[in-house]
Amino acid sequence: MDAILLQILNGLDKGSAYALIALGLTLIFGTLGVVNFAHGALFMIGAFCAVTLQKIFNLSYEVVDETQTDFLGNPLKVKTPYVESWFGPELGATIIDWSVPLAILFAIPIMLMVGYVMERGLIKHFYKRPHADQILVTFGLAIVLQEIIKYFFGANPIQTPPPEALSGSVDLGVAFGFDPNAIIYPIWRLVYFLFAVVIIGGVFSFLQFTTFGMVVRAGMADRETVGLLGINIDRRFTIMFGIAAAVAGLAGVMYGPLNPPNYHMGMDFLVLSFVVVVVGGMGSLPGAVLAGFLLGILESFASTTWATTTIPGINQIIIYLVAIIVLLTRPRGLMGRKGVMEE
């Protein structure tokens, strides 16, 4: 039982990333009807927002430390981060240590701006074009963004460690009634799951309980009627595109300590996230979240030694097998609207 719970926890961890990216994809498809193959690049940009802030906090200058000498007795030059000189050694070191969580505040305005520029500058011209055109142009945009990141940050993964206080592990065995040390789990993975729950809950609450969200939901159901009421639904959909970009970016910020950011991480998640959206149901926000967590858990169980020994490579194809089964038996997905993908 403890092994089963451990795999479920691992699945919720990866499923959190799937759910957050799929949620943003579904927001864009549900509001604008655009198949956005650049959404994985937004996840990548968010991760590199954390990398950028970490580099900014670590900008240093050299000072001569008379208390330290080399083997010849000469004073050593010591690098001191500007943050520590401005805020003091203790507070400055704490700010550097917590650079990843602080990157959330750094990433939100950047991702909103990136989403706005992307939608206004390019994607709005493809609203009435076939989905094939949308896929080609957004996939091309994703490649361009990927190469820009590669040019400025290099091809190698960059470590973005979590705060020291959250870098260890916690014993969950006692909490679940097992023997001590039965389930030792990394703290940051739990933090990422809780963060995903908060973000998902915030998006759903915003759409459900605010006037803005209710208008957006109405526009998703019947765009023309909402427009005839004198509401500028296009402007609201542009804002939703920015929110979807911010959700993907924040997912990337917090994912960095789990998997060091690299320039192709967006592509790694893109295809899987589209599979999640299709399995959950095109345009269904609850379906995207549900499918994200379910497929994450299935992938976790498929990665166990027993599963990979019994069926070699099953961990690489399990998500696609589930997608095939769902589409054959229920073409609209788990929670898709009737008629979608069923013509």
Side-chain angles (χ1 to χ4, degrees):
M1 184 60 71
D2 57 341
I4 292 174
L5 285 174
L6 183 60
Q7 293 306 320
I8 291 174
L9 288 171
N10 288 333
L12 291 176
D13 156 32
K14 184 165 288 187
S16 297
Y18 293 159
L20 285 174
I21 301 175
L23 180 63
L25 276 169
T26 305
L27 278 173
I28 293 173
F29 181 80
T31 54
L32 302 173
V34 173
V35 181
N36 181 23
F37 261 65
H39 202 72
L42 298 174
F43 177 76
M44 172 196 65
I45 291 172
F48 278 92
C49 282
V51 172
T52 302
L53 189 65
Q54 179 178 265
K55 289 182 177 292
I56 292 173
F57 283 165
N58 281 285
L59 289 174
S60 306
Y61 63 95
E62 289 187 344
V63 294
V64 177
D65 189 350
E66 300 288 348
T67 63
Q68 301 184 51
T69 58
D70 59 18
F71 68 97
L72 295 175
N74 299 317
L76 289 177
K77 290 183 178 181
V78 179
K79 287 187 176 182
T80 302
Y82 286 102
V83 172
E84 291 188 8
S85 66
W86 294 338
F87 298 99
E90 292 186 3
L91 181 57
T94 301
I95 292 174
I96 293 173
D97 185 39
W98 285 77
S99 61
V100 171
L102 290 174
I104 293 174
L105 302 177
F106 179 68
I108 289 175
I110 291 177
M111 297 310 303
L112 289 173
M113 181 182 67
V114 169
Y116 178 82
V117 171
M118 184 185 296
E119 194 273 338
R120 288 287 88 187
L122 179 65
I123 292 179
K124 75 171 185 178
H125 302 292
F126 290 83
Y127 287 160
K128 297 181 180 180
R129 300 279 288 272
H131 287 320
D133 292 354
Q134 298 171 359
I135 291 172
L136 286 173
V137 73
T138 54
F139 187 75
L141 177 61
I143 294 175
V144 170
L145 293 174
Q146 177 177 289
E147 291 304 313
I148 290 173
I149 292 294
K150 182 180 179 181
Y151 175 80
F152 283 103
F153 293 93
N156 296 322
I158 302 175
Q159 297 289 335
T160 53
E164 186 177 352
L166 302 176
S167 61
S169 299
V170 62
D171 185 358
L172 296 178
V174 177
F176 287 108
F178 298 106
D179 295 333
N181 300 321
I183 303 178
I184 303 297
Y185 202 72
I187 296 175
W188 189 256
R189 291 182 179 273
L190 294 174
V191 170
Y192 191 78
F193 170 67
L194 294 175
F195 173 79
V197 170
V198 170
I199 295 297
I200 292 169
V203 171
F204 276 91
S205 298
F206 175 72
L207 291 173
Q208 190 70 31
F209 301 116
T210 66
T211 302
F212 186 99
M214 287 187 281
V215 172
V216 168
R217 285 190 290 116
M220 291 171 68
D222 193 339
R223 182 172 183 161
E224 292 185 3
T225 301
V226 173
L228 292 173
L229 295 175
I231 297 173
N232 190 341
I233 193 65
D234 290 337
R235 180 180 300 173
R236 293 173 187 262
F237 282 175
T238 299
I239 294 173
M240 289 307 301
F241 193 102
I243 292 174
V247 169
L250 294 181
V253 167
M254 297 294 282
Y255 197 75
L258 298 179
N259 190 16
N262 56 73
Y263 73 98
H264 58 77
M265 66 185 299
M267 290 296 186
D268 294 342
F269 274 90
L270 176 65
V271 176
L272 291 173
S273 299
F274 266 100
V275 173
V276 170
V277 170
V278 172
V279 170
M282 295 294 287
S284 172
L285 298 177
V289 174
L290 175 64
F293 284 116
L294 286 178
L295 292 178
I297 292 172
L298 283 175
E299 187 176 14
S300 176
F301 278 100
S303 300
T304 59
T305 303
W306 177 85
T308 54
T309 302
T310 305
I311 308 177
I314 186 63
N315 57 318
Q316 301 294 326
I317 63 173
I318 182 65
I319 289 181
Y320 304 104
L321 288 177
V322 172
I324 291 171
I325 294 170
V326 170
L327 292 179
L328 286 175
T329 58
R330 190 179 175 86
R332 66 175 181 266
L334 296 176
M335 301 183 69
R337 296 190 304 272
K338 187 175 182 179
V340 177
M341 307 285 287
E342 292 182 326
E343 290 83 356

